[in-house]
Amino acid sequence: DIQLTQSPSFLSASVGDRVTITCRASQGISTSLAWYQQKPGMAPKLLIYAASTLQSGVPSRFSGSGSGTDFTLTISSLQPEDFAAYYCEQLNTYPSTFGQGTKVEVK
Amino acid sequence: QVQLVQSGTEVKKPGASVKVSCKASGYTFTANFIHWVRQAPGQGPEWMGWMSSSSGGTFSAPKFQGRLTMTRDTSIGTAYMEMSGLTSDDTAVYYCARGSGADNWRRLDLWGQGTLVTVSS
């Protein structure tokens, strides 16, 4: 199975900060990577797919980049509603796999 | 309204089976795959498998092969996930999710609200 390693696992930030989360795959996955946001007690919500395509309705402060094995999710200016957990998922090869997550907390 | 609505909380004893339903509305059910993802308490999501809503074909992660059965009833736009041989390690919230796109554009773009399955003696 392809392993995804996210970093950091926890991130303390303030409103207005620029936040970057990385996801590294154990082997090349082209651009077949999605990013999700999850708030407590809720289902994950798709933010980005194909590494850099913004899902409809998602604010433009979210962006993604990368290909092959290294990917990033960037929030350009953190908003109060962005404090949540974030997960990457590779869909290049089944079984699909998720990263272990990054929790973005209030500093 | 485009949504996936799942069945309610389940409590099962070790060794039992559980069947969770996922009803689609607001889109053509047979146009997309349905994926199943679970999340144990305090853990990240774990992908379990997919089912073609049109053909009924399935693919399960090796970890779940032999225990996971995915089916659908196209007449009512509903997918089902059945897991047998439950242990306490299967205690989790189970989600269905709609798969969209192909190749590098695959994604899970619509999720059910989740079904909590608790396995306890």
Side-chain angles (χ1 to χ4, degrees), chain B residues 2 7 43 53 65 70 77 88 95-97 100:
Chain B
V2 180
S7 51
Q43 303 298 309
S53 304
Q65 285 174 5
M70 294 173 284
S88 58
Y95 295 100
C96 61
S100 292

Side-chain angles (χ1 to χ4, degrees), chain A residues 29-32 34 36 38 42-44 46 49-50 53 55 87 89 91-100, chain B residues 33 35 37 39 43-47 50 59-62 95 103-114:
Chain A
I29 57 170
S30 186
T31 56
S32 190
Y36 302 88
Q38 187 177 32
M42 303 291 288
L46 177 66
Y49 64 96
T53 301
Q55 170 69 355
Y87 298 95
E89 180 197 17
L91 298 104
N92 183 72
T93 304
Y94 289 114
S96 172
T97 46
F98 287 85
Q100 84 280 10
Chain B
F33 282 26
H35 296 241
V37 175
Q39 190 167 27
Q43 303 298 309
E46 180 178 29
W47 187 85
W50 58 248
F59 179 91
S60 301
Y95 295 100
D103 301 320
N104 286 341
W105 287 269
R106 292 178 187 148
R107 67 270 192 190
L108 304 183
D109 64 353
L110 179 68
W111 292 65
Q113 84 277 16

Side-chain angles (χ1 to χ4, degrees), chain A residues 18-90:
Chain A
R18 181 181 182 88
V19 167
T20 298
I21 299 168
T22 66
C23 178
R24 175 163 288 176
S26 59
Q27 63 190 74
I29 57 170
S30 186
T31 56
S32 190
L33 188 100
W35 289 97
Y36 302 88
Q37 176 193 68
Q38 187 177 32
K39 296 181 179 179
M42 303 291 288
K45 172 188 173 184
L46 177 66
L47 299 175
I48 301 280
Y49 64 96
S52 61
T53 301
L54 193 68
Q55 170 69 355
S56 176
V58 173
S60 59
R61 64 180 179 272
F62 292 93
S63 64
S65 65
S67 67
T69 59
D70 294 305
F71 302 86
T72 61
L73 172 70
T74 300
I75 309 172
S76 61
S77 178
L78 197 66
Q79 298 302 299
E81 59 268 30
D82 300 337
F83 291 100
Y86 293 85
Y87 298 95
C88 56
E89 180 197 17
Q90 69 81 20

Side-chain angles (χ1 to χ4, degrees), chain B residues 44-103:
Chain B
E46 180 178 29
W47 187 85
M48 300 175 66
W50 58 248
M51 179 190 67
S52 166
S53 304
S54 58
S55 70
T58 62
F59 179 91
S60 301
K63 174 177 181 176
F64 300 106
Q65 285 174 5
R67 288 210 298 144
L68 175 63
T69 303
M70 294 173 284
T71 57
R72 90 279 190 231
D73 184 339
T74 57
S75 68
I76 57 173
T78 300
Y80 302 92
M81 183 282 299
E82 184 168 19
M83 181 94 88
S84 62
L86 294 172
T87 72
S88 58
D89 289 341
D90 295 315
T91 293
V93 176
Y94 289 74
Y95 295 100
C96 61
R98 183 178 74 175
S100 292
D103 301 320

